[in-house]
Amino acid sequence: MAFKKLCNILTVSLLVASSPLLADQTGDAKFAIAIHGGAGTIEKSRMTPEKERAYRAKLEEAINAGYAVLEKGGASLDAVVTAINILEDSPLFNAGKGAVFTYDGTHELDASIMDGRNRQAGAVAGVKRIANPINLARMVMEDSPFVMLSGAGAESFAESRGVPFVDNKHFDTEQRREQLKKAREKLDRENQQEKDYRAAVEALPVPFRMGTVGAVALDKQGNLAAGTSTGGMTAKRFGRIGDSPVIGAGTFADNRSCAVSATGHGEYFIRYNVAADICARVQYQGKSVGEAASEVIDDVLLPVGGTGGVIVLDTKGNIALTFNTKGMYRGSRTSSTPLSVAIFGDN
Ligand code: ASP
């Protein structure tokens, strides 16, 4: 009951159209990259000019680094990992350094990657000591017979492949600690009233909950790739895993349709199989990436209270950067369109 009420509130209060800017660029690009750094209640009025500049600069750096890989003829998988590593290493985003805290004050990271040539995929969930989880996800794809590894097992796999560990404190930032404090205060209060953890989590303001980074790329060989990396949702508990490491939910790539990386309230993205649904609409219904993304994000997710966004790319270099929240850190560059970065609904 409380949950349904909340969904209605969300539906009304989050009526922010998908960004018209940057959406559905066309131009038969030979290679292209798009990235995101999370969606949520991101408003100009809440951000200092310095902070905004820092975000834009880091997004540009990540796009340009990925673009350089593609320009030299490198693989889309390499471009995706290159861009994501820059965002993981930045404390600004909820992935790698700067990841959100769990309810217990630690960090548990999730990531996944997919190769559009052959639907090979790799994912890790709940890792605590891996500085760049997207790299480990790629190792799972390329160097193991598995698709998804979790927790201590994923770290044993990392150890067996010589991946260095970092202390969990490596991911700490003051800002995220502050968010956890506020989230916990609210959660504990709500819990007492409602004795319902789910409703309490739902009641947290979006900025306390979310963020994630991701990239999609098309290389000169015509191959798509997608990757996503996240700290998950603030104050998550009980080994909670979101959509980011779930192939088909948070990440998907298939040369026959499109590449997608998602960000948002993971439980909805899992239940609605968001990334795969968008690509299915492109493949089977002949929808453009912009139409397919908007149908799923605006028409399917929003009415049930699912907030977030996606970046989508097809083999012609068409891009959709679509979200139903106030903003999404995002940007793109293609062989036929210049570097472009945006944060808010309108720029
Ligand atoms: N999708 C992520 C999760 O649910 C969080 C986010 O993208 O904001 O873990």
Side-chain angles (χ1 to χ4, degrees), residues 95-233:
K97 174 85 186 157
V100 297
F101 283 90
T102 63
Y103 187 85
D104 298 320
T106 63
H107 307 277
E108 295 173 2
L109 311 175
D110 305 331
S112 67
I113 192 161
M114 190 163 186
D115 184 341
R117 288 175 300 184
N118 48 20
R119 287 207 187 200
Q120 289 294 312
V124 292
V127 293
K128 296 182 177 163
R129 295 181 294 166
I130 307 296
N132 294 105
I134 194 72
N135 300 11
L136 188 58
R138 186 171 183 180
M139 273 183 199
V140 172
M141 174 172 75
E142 293 179 342
D143 198 19
S144 92
F146 310 115
V147 169
M148 189 192 283
L149 301 180
S150 69
E155 292 187 354
S156 305
F157 170 74
E159 196 171 14
S160 74
R161 299 302 191 271
V163 177
F165 285 176
V166 293
D167 193 278
N168 195 250
K169 290 195 175 7
H170 162 80
F171 305 109
D172 288 5
T173 52
E174 262 326 294
Q175 188 209 357
R176 298 294 187 199
R177 197 183 295 283
E178 199 46 38
Q179 283 178 358
L180 174 66
K181 206 171 135 235
K182 291 206 180 113
R184 276 195 65 150
E185 278 164 14
K186 188 156 176 70
L187 269 180
D188 294 344
R189 218 171 30 239
E190 301 279 337
N191 258 347
Q192 276 172 15
Q193 288 169 8
E194 302 196 34
K195 307 241 179 307
D196 178 348
Y197 181 75
R198 179 174 174 154
V201 171
E202 295 276 353
L204 282 176
V206 177
F208 294 160
R209 294 200 252 120
M210 315 204 293
T212 279
V213 309
V216 290
L218 167 70
D219 62 29
K220 287 183 179 173
Q221 293 72 43
N223 296 317
L224 292 168
T228 310
S229 182
T230 191
M233 286 167 75

Side-chain angles (χ1 to χ4, degrees), residues 8-20:
N8 291 337
I9 293 164
L10 280 172
T11 307
V12 176
S13 65
L14 290 166
L15 277 181
V16 177
S18 304
S19 163

Side-chain angles (χ1 to χ4, degrees), residues 291-304:
E291 285 166 345
S294 171
E295 283 178 6
V296 175
I297 297 299
D298 299 327
D299 304 343
V300 176
L301 281 190
L302 195 55
V304 294

Side-chain angles (χ1 to χ4, degrees), residues 18-42:
S18 304
S19 163
L21 188 84
L22 300 172
D24 229 4
Q25 292 173 344
T26 47
D28 265 337
K30 297 204 167 38
F31 55 98
I33 183 162
I35 66 170
H36 71 79
T41 312
I42 308 164

Side-chain angles (χ1 to χ4, degrees), residues 38-39 94 110 209-212 230-233 240-244 262-267:
N94 173 21
D110 305 331
R209 294 200 252 120
M210 315 204 293
T212 279
T230 191
M233 286 167 75
R240 180 264 185 192
I241 294 166
D243 60 310
S244 306
T263 173
H265 195 158
E267 280 67 13

